[in-house]
Every structure is written in structure tokens, then in C-alpha cells.
Amino acid sequence: MTFVVTDLCIKCKYTDCVEVCPVDCFYEGENMLVINPDECIDCGVCEPECPIEAILPDTDSVAEKFIELNREYSSKWANITRKKDPLPEAEEYKNVKDKLHLLSPASGEGD
């Protein structure tokens, strides 16, 4: 089992989760974070840190469709281990559902 970031993160990108990760398995896109499922040790400390509940265990039916997205982009995006400010539009988008069409494939800066 692993944890995955869902589309709730898109256009928000709260980074509270990255600071608590003991194995630094978060990767930063331009407008979303992902978890490398091969690096995640299933400790679960990141899940309660997300203020918008965008992180789920891969056994959750909602999370299933995001496993490959997390795997793909974690191999392309920069590693992030430090907390940053959320995106400027985070407050506006934090309650928006079904945001996958807003995903940017561009990498973020990482650390």
C-alpha cells in the first residue's frame, strides 16, 4: 500500500505534507504535488497534514485512478522536501472538485 495525491491538490498545492515525510517521496509540479508510490513507505504521516484532504491511501476507491498519475509525474517533476506557501489561488480552488483538467504537466521548482 502507498499514499497518493488526488486532483484536489491541483491549483492549491499546500505543502504541509512534504515536511513530515521521512523518505522525501513528494514531487512538485507547477500546480500540484505527487507522491512516488515506489518510494512511499506507507507511514501515513502525510495524510492528516493535508488541509484539503487531497492525500488518500491507494486502497481508497477514489485514489485508484491517481496511482499512475502519481507514478508518472514523480519521475518527471522535481523533488520537494520543504514547506512553501500554497498557490495564490488556493483559497479559491480548495473546495473545487474534479480538477484533473486543470493539471499542468510542467515541473515545479522543488527544493
Side-chain angles (χ1 to χ4, degrees):
M1 189 169 95
T2 185
F3 284 82
V4 297
V5 181
T6 68
D7 64 334
L8 292 177
C9 184
I10 297 171
K11 292 264 193 193
C12 293
K13 202 164 74 168
Y14 292 96
T15 57
D16 307 67
C17 52
V18 302
E19 280 195 322
V20 299
C21 181
V23 294
D24 299 334
C25 66
F26 280 88
Y27 292 81
E28 181 184 17
E30 182 178 39
N31 68 358
M32 179 183 183
L33 300 175
V34 293
I35 294 172
N36 183 320
D38 297 324
E39 295 174 356
C40 177
I41 61 170
D42 188 33
C43 67
V45 296
C46 60
E47 186 181 21
E49 295 301 316
C50 182
I52 56 172
E53 300 178 355
I55 299 173
L56 297 173
D58 67 352
T59 55
D60 187 296
S61 62
V62 174
E64 286 179 16
K65 65 181 180 181
F66 296 101
I67 296 169
E68 286 310 311
L69 181 143
N70 277 249
R71 183 181 313 282
E72 176 186 351
Y73 286 107
S74 65
S75 70
K76 298 176 180 178
W77 291 348
N79 187 243
I80 180 171
T81 62
R82 296 188 179 135
K83 185 175 178 176
K84 297 180 179 181
D85 290 335
L87 294 175
E89 62 269 27
E91 196 62 31
E92 175 185 351
Y93 281 92
K94 72 179 185 180
N95 294 314
V96 175
K97 307 289 185 214
D98 300 318
K99 299 187 280 186
L100 197 52
H101 67 283
L102 300 172
L103 175 65
S104 168
S107 182
E109 295 176 8
D111 289 341

